[in-house]
Each structure stands twice: as structure tokens, then as C-alpha cells.
Amino acid sequence: MKKILLISYYFNPCQVIGSKRWSEFFTLFDQDDDFEITVLTRNWKGEKLNNNNIIYIGDEVEFKPFKSINREFNFFDYLKHPSIYFRSLDKNIFNDKWYKDTKSWIKKNRNNKYDVIIATYTPINAIRLGNYAKNILNAKLIIDMRDMMSIQGQKIKLPVVNFIDNILDRYLLRKANRIISVGPTICKKASKFYNKKTHLIYNSFLEKEYTHKDFTLKNKNKIVFSYLGTMGIKRNPAGLIQIIDKFCQENQKFTMEINFASQDNPNEFIKILNINNVKINWLGYINKHEVQILKGKTDCFILLEDMSINGKENITGKIFEYMLEQKPVVAYCHSNSDIKYILNESGIGKIINSNAEFDSFISCITSDNFKLVDQKLLQFSKEKQYEIVKSLL
């Protein structure tokens, strides 16, 4: 039996999308006689898993969604948000009680035998704890880089500053035996930058939660779209809203509305636009129960990502969450985004960047031509990705 120590700052019951990846992998490890897994995580407020192998460290804390910047960056943004251009340090790296308490737990349990340590980024302190645990426990170290650090595509690269950022980044990952990540572009970049073997593990969804559903629109003339997540200058819904608004203007038999379940206000992005033909519903940040109700009322889901080539590496975990619903997905992002492969391979949706593409998409879903094949979808299940993790271990 292999013994695994997982250091994951974000974990169930934290509601952030980043907690789902290893919370769900944990359920599969926990049912597998080949492995014994121990988790070190922060003490998140909410209904916790009743499992002695999950160590919730520190005082209970409630997750608060991050505030997004929904306009062009200015000088003061650079001062307030240095991660725009420098990502190998964060504000808690030297003053983090969770880091200190977790480090103490590792030291106190130094006689425990572990074969592999898995540390998940973010935050940076999870990587630091992985490095420390490798030294103390004499085990192999895998670092899960769900997002890139100094070589993140959307980062603004300033001379000298970027050079220092790169050096610190490589230093932080110097002890990793393997790196894993969530998309092909990220994996290629990481392999070259760190000069380490890097493996692709998609975020995915739990197959045991999947039940085949045949999609048909309840009302072919009224379509309800929903977006669940953050927005900002790199996830700007304005262009897609304009495309939908123009479609409704030219096809008045259709009624369309868009729900935004987000702490970010969509109206801030379209206040200078003349949007008259599509209804915008801003729901704010909603809880899990409210999300499930909203999903049931939704005909089509929206994904937002960076429209520039610099953001093509980004694969939001929402795409796999939507797969469970088996409803169409409209992605508004760069036409060569890594998201394109997942949408095409699974058949779940399309990237829409023009009025003609949207017209074609609506024609497909209203003529009952939207059909999903279970085998195509299930290749992105957590169980299939877990087999890849097992082979790596």
C-alpha cells in the first residue's frame, strides 16, 4: 500500500472551484485499497467530510470570494495588486499562521511513513510546505500547478522584474520530482521552464454523479443562459452580450435572458453599450443550493475566458461542472483556446466569437441536433483521470 500526504489549502467544504479537484480525487483514493491518503488543509467553515484522514488545521475560517478588476489596469492597481506582474510571492508568504501550524504538524509527525507528497498551488505556501515535508519525511514530491506562476500567460512581463520572478519560481519548484497540471499548453510550458517531467490531469467530474440525460429545449423561443463564476477585464461578458442582443434584435420571435451568479456585476461591463433586446439578471454570489436550483432553470451555460492568445492556456473547472448537467455550453474566449479541444471532443458546446457562429449554435440546439455521447463525455470523468494519477504514482 502506498501512503500519500496531500497538502491542499483549498479543500472541501471550501466553495472555491479550486477545492473540487483534490476533494473529489480524495474520495477515489479513500476507496482504493492500494492507497492510504492523509490530507492537510485549512479549517474551512461548512459541512466537513467525516474522515479522520483529513486534518483541518487552524481556526475555522469562511471563504470570501475574490474581488475582480473589471477595467483597464491603472498605476494604483499595480501598487495594490502586484500579482499582475510578479507572482512568485504573495501577501501571506511570510505571515501565515496556517503555514506555521501545518509545518508544526509535519515536524511532529516526522516518523510517519509516506511514499509520495502532493502539494497543490495556490497558495505559494502550499509549495513551501511540500518542499519542507519532502526533507522531513524523505518522500517523493509531486506539485500540482493548476495555474502557472511566473510564466502565467496573462501576467504582465516587466523587464528585470520578470527575470527575478522566473528565478524565484524555479527555486520554489526545485525539489519537485514531478509536476502535474490541468491543460496541454500549461504542461508544455511547465516542462520546458522547470526542466521536469510534467503530466496532464484534467479537472474533470465524478462519473458516479453522472446520469445520462437527453437534452431538449422546453420552449424553443425562450432560452435562458447562465454564467457561474467571476468576471473581470480578462473575463469580460460584454462582447457575448452584444452578440446575443443583436441576435434577438434580428430574430424577434426569440426571447433570451442571461443569469449571472457572480459577486461581479455584469452591468458594469455593459453600461456604455446599448443593450435592449436581452434581459440581464444579476444574482450576486449564491450558495450551493441556489446554484443547483439555477442549473435546473438554465437552458445553456456560458464560459468566459481571455480573448487574447495569452489566455489560451486557461481551462476553467466550470466546463466539467457543466458536463454533469449535459446542457449546451457557449464559450466566449480565444478561438484557439485549450478549451476548444474539450468542447469539441466532448461535444458539449462551441466557442462563439461572432454573430454567424451564434446563429449556427442556436439553430443546432433549437432543431434538437444537440446530442451527447456518454463515452465522449466520460473520458473527462474524475475516475478516468484518477487512473492516470494512479499510473503516475
Side-chain angles (χ1 to χ4, degrees):
M1 176 187 289
K2 279 191 178 293
K3 293 193 175 183
I4 312 297
L5 179 65
L6 171 64
I7 302 170
S8 184
Y9 181 83
Y10 296 110
F11 199 79
N12 185 76
C14 181
Q15 288 197 47
V16 68
I17 188 68
S19 74
K20 286 177 64 66
R21 179 170 171 86
W22 285 100
S23 297
E24 292 179 348
F25 274 136
F26 172 82
T27 63
L28 300 177
F29 272 117
D30 199 44
Q31 298 163 12
D32 193 329
D33 292 337
D34 293 335
F35 297 96
E36 181 182 295
I37 183 167
T38 301
V39 181
L40 304 182
T41 187
R42 190 160 184 185
N43 189 7
W44 297 104
K45 184 176 181 180
E47 186 178 349
K48 298 176 175 62
L49 295 174
N50 184 21
N51 192 303
N52 292 332
N53 285 346
I54 305 174
I55 314 299
Y56 295 99
I57 294 175
D59 296 331
E60 193 171 69
V61 62
E62 185 172 5
F63 172 74
K64 295 180 180 178
F66 309 107
K67 295 289 183 182
S68 304
I69 301 174
N70 55 17
R71 47 173 169 70
E72 293 294 330
F73 298 138
N74 58 38
F75 175 75
F76 296 104
D77 292 325
Y78 280 74
L79 294 178
K80 289 170 63 178
H81 306 283
S83 62
I84 294 170
Y85 56 88
F86 196 95
R87 290 173 55 85
S88 295
L89 295 174
D90 59 39
K91 64 181 180 179
N92 294 322
I93 194 167
F94 298 121
N95 184 28
D96 181 2
K97 191 174 185 303
W98 178 78
Y99 169 80
K100 294 174 184 176
D101 291 345
T102 306
K103 190 174 180 180
S104 296
W105 186 96
I106 295 168
K107 186 176 182 179
K108 188 183 296 184
N109 292 272
R110 64 189 308 151
N111 292 326
N112 291 0
K113 300 297 182 184
Y114 296 101
D115 298 289
V116 179
I117 299 154
I118 302 173
T120 72
Y121 171 77
T122 59
I124 292 167
N125 275 342
I127 297 176
R128 293 177 68 208
L129 287 166
N131 290 334
Y132 177 76
K134 177 177 180 176
N135 288 343
I136 294 292
L137 302 171
N138 191 29
K140 300 288 187 182
L141 174 62
I142 297 172
I143 295 182
D144 182 14
M145 298 295 289
R146 291 180 290 110
D147 190 12
M148 289 290 92
M149 202 183 300
S150 71
I151 57 171
Q152 195 237 21
Q154 294 169 316
K155 191 193 83 168
I156 296 172
K157 296 176 176 62
L158 302 178
V160 181
V161 173
N162 184 60
F163 177 73
I164 297 170
D165 199 18
N166 288 166
I167 290 174
L168 282 173
D169 188 350
R170 286 193 180 99
Y171 178 78
L172 285 164
L173 270 79
R174 70 196 184 281
K175 295 183 180 179
N177 297 96
R178 293 284 190 277
I179 296 170
I180 59 178
S181 196
V182 299
T185 298
I186 289 179
C187 286
K188 288 177 184 177
K189 287 172 65 174
S191 177
K192 183 177 180 180
F193 181 76
Y194 298 111
N195 194 26
K196 296 178 183 290
K197 288 188 177 180
T198 306
H199 306 266
L200 173 60
I201 309 291
Y202 284 113
N203 273 320
S204 56
F205 62 90
L206 281 171
E207 185 174 333
K208 66 180 182 181
E209 296 179 359
Y210 179 88
T211 304
H212 178 81
K213 306 168 189 173
D214 288 317
F215 171 79
T216 53
L217 282 171
K218 297 174 185 175
N219 184 342
K220 296 185 188 301
N221 294 327
K222 180 180 179 181
I223 303 175
V224 178
F225 296 83
S226 290
Y227 176 74
L228 290 73
T230 59
M231 288 175 279
I233 190 170
K234 302 297 185 182
R235 287 179 176 171
N236 189 335
L240 181 61
I241 292 172
Q242 284 182 295
I243 289 172
I244 297 175
D245 186 74
K246 185 174 181 181
F247 177 88
C248 292
Q249 182 182 359
E250 296 176 349
N251 300 271
Q252 295 191 6
K253 70 175 183 177
F254 286 97
T255 301
M256 296 187 180
E257 61 182 84
I258 311 175
N259 297 309
F260 287 89
S262 173
Q263 73 270 21
D264 305 306
N265 186 349
N267 297 300
E268 290 294 314
F269 299 89
I270 59 172
K271 57 187 177 184
I272 62 171
L273 303 178
N274 189 23
I275 303 297
N276 298 311
N277 303 286
V278 59
K279 184 180 179 184
I280 305 296
N281 303 316
W282 180 38
L283 308 178
Y285 185 76
I286 61 177
N287 62 38
K288 287 182 178 180
H289 177 67
E290 292 168 325
V291 166
Q292 285 306 120
I293 293 174
L294 177 62
K295 286 177 179 177
K297 296 177 179 178
T298 299
D299 298 313
C300 182
F301 291 102
I302 291 174
L303 283 177
L304 298 176
E305 264 305 339
D306 198 339
M307 294 297 293
S308 75
I309 191 65
N310 292 331
K312 75 178 289 289
E313 68 193 43
N314 299 337
I315 300 179
T316 171
K318 287 292 178 186
I319 192 170
F320 304 103
E321 183 180 332
Y322 294 162
M323 282 183 185
L324 280 174
E325 305 304 315
Q326 298 163 66
K327 294 178 180 179
V329 175
V330 166
Y332 187 65
C333 59
H334 191 275
S335 58
N336 288 323
S337 168
D338 286 354
I339 288 171
K340 182 178 182 179
Y341 170 80
I342 298 171
L343 292 175
N344 289 348
E345 192 69 12
S346 65
I348 196 73
K350 295 288 184 184
I351 293 177
I352 304 296
N353 288 331
S354 70
N355 296 98
E357 288 171 336
F358 188 73
D359 289 358
S360 175
F361 181 81
I362 295 300
S363 176
C364 172
I365 66 174
T366 54
S367 59
D368 296 331
N369 288 330
F370 180 78
K371 303 292 183 184
L372 294 175
V373 178
D374 289 348
Q375 283 183 320
K376 288 189 173 184
L377 272 182
L378 292 177
Q379 68 177 302
F380 297 105
S381 71
K382 193 71 69 178
E383 287 82 349
K384 294 290 190 298
Q385 298 303 307
Y386 179 67
E387 292 301 317
I388 303 173
V389 175
K390 280 186 68 171
S391 66
L392 170 60
L393 292 173

